[in-house]
Amino acid sequence: LSSAYVPAREALDRARKLNTPFTSANILIIGGNGPSGLATIELALLEGANVFTTADERHHEYLTNMGAKCFPIDPNMWLPTLQGKMDVVLDSVCLDGYDSSSLALNSAGTLVCTGMSAVYTQGQIRAYGMRDVRDYKAMYCKMRAKYMLNNTVYYDRTERFNVAPNEYAQHFRYLCHLAAKGSIKPLVCSRSPLNLVASMQKAIEHGDTTYGVCVCTPWTMETDSTRK
């Protein structure tokens, strides 16, 4: 809940108008198959939104069963259909510097940039004689989202927690309440002891994990409790 659902809730709140629910709103979630994407889809559907998402085709069946309308990752495959129609777009991928996500907005829509995984997962970027400039590209994308793109906000979970820890805590309590009622169903795809964290991180980077959050248990070896 803390690592996926609270940031998803806060990202949605960055686009919320007059503190009203997203009932019947068109919401596009770029990269819906990750833990935060899944949490955002679930929370948006809970409010009655029309949810669209992009993901690799192997994830489409699962996401469709959740209630989302799925599109391929490539913006050229979904932008002709969705351009100018979205009330909210949440982009944690930054495949093209947030350009396609911005174009998907309607005139009153809001783009919430929550990350830039594509900057780091597509290999090293060599430029100006430097071996790898991915950190510089990430910095540029963040500044662009903050100061250059219209109707756009950048959400950083750590920055937000430092600014408003009580808000974060209250969202966590509310989401625990929803989970206890069964209104949301957080997924844990695996529990790994400390000595397997590196292997688990590699699996995450290659997309070899199932749906949900990977949890590191505070033990160095697998126990009966971690196998369950």
Side-chain angles (χ1 to χ4, degrees):
L1 285 172
S2 177
S3 64
Y5 280 79
V6 174
R9 167 75 188 207
E10 294 199 328
L12 284 169
D13 282 350
R14 301 284 80 78
R16 198 178 299 279
K17 308 291 186 183
L18 301 175
N19 202 32
T20 56
F22 288 114
T23 307
S24 299
N26 293 325
I27 297 180
L28 171 62
I29 299 162
I30 306 297
N33 58 287
S36 292
L38 293 170
T40 307
I41 290 173
E42 191 172 6
L43 293 175
L45 288 170
L46 190 63
E47 294 192 32
N50 303 313
V51 178
F52 306 81
T53 189
T54 68
D56 189 276
E57 290 190 12
R58 63 194 170 114
H59 302 300
H60 283 193
E61 181 179 359
Y62 184 88
L63 297 173
T64 298
N65 289 336
M66 285 186 68
K69 302 175 181 65
C70 296
F71 290 87
I73 297 172
D74 185 356
N76 294 321
M77 301 294 290
W78 57 260
L79 191 57
T81 302
L82 302 182
Q83 184 169 352
K85 298 179 180 179
M86 295 296 108
D87 299 296
V88 179
V89 179
L90 299 105
D91 190 341
S92 64
V93 180
C94 190
L95 196 61
D96 55 6
Y98 304 121
D99 284 334
S100 56
S101 295
S102 182
L103 289 171
L105 294 174
N106 59 35
S107 59
T110 301
L111 167 61
V112 183
C113 303
T114 61
M116 52 193 73
S117 61
V119 173
Y120 289 98
T121 58
Q122 296 183 340
Q124 293 183 346
I125 303 174
R126 298 176 182 270
Y128 307 110
M130 301 177 67
R131 182 177 181 181
D132 191 355
V133 297
R134 284 180 291 183
D135 287 342
Y136 295 100
K137 182 176 180 180
M139 186 182 305
Y140 168 75
C141 290
K142 182 176 181 178
M143 292 301 104
R144 188 165 185 260
K146 279 188 168 184
Y147 304 113
M148 301 178 193
L149 294 176
N150 295 325
N151 302 328
T152 302
V153 295
Y154 189 88
Y155 169 77
D156 183 291
R157 70 180 69 184
T158 303
E159 290 179 0
R160 187 63 192 172
F161 176 80
N162 290 333
V163 170
N166 291 335
E167 175 188 88
Y168 198 97
Q170 184 61 25
H171 281 146
F172 179 72
R173 285 189 287 267
Y174 173 66
L175 291 164
C176 287
H177 170 69
L178 291 183
K181 288 175 57 180
S183 299
I184 59 174
K185 298 179 180 179
L187 297 174
V188 175
C189 75
S190 66
R191 295 173 175 84
S192 299
L194 290 173
N195 58 325
L196 293 180
V197 168
S199 298
M200 181 55 63
Q201 183 62 42
K202 185 176 181 180
I204 293 172
E205 291 176 354
H206 287 83
D208 293 332
T209 58
T210 55
Y211 302 102
V213 175
C214 299
V215 176
C216 172
T217 56
W219 301 282
T220 56
M221 297 183 65
E222 187 177 35
T223 65
D224 290 340
S225 62
T226 62
R227 294 190 193 101
K228 294 179 181 179

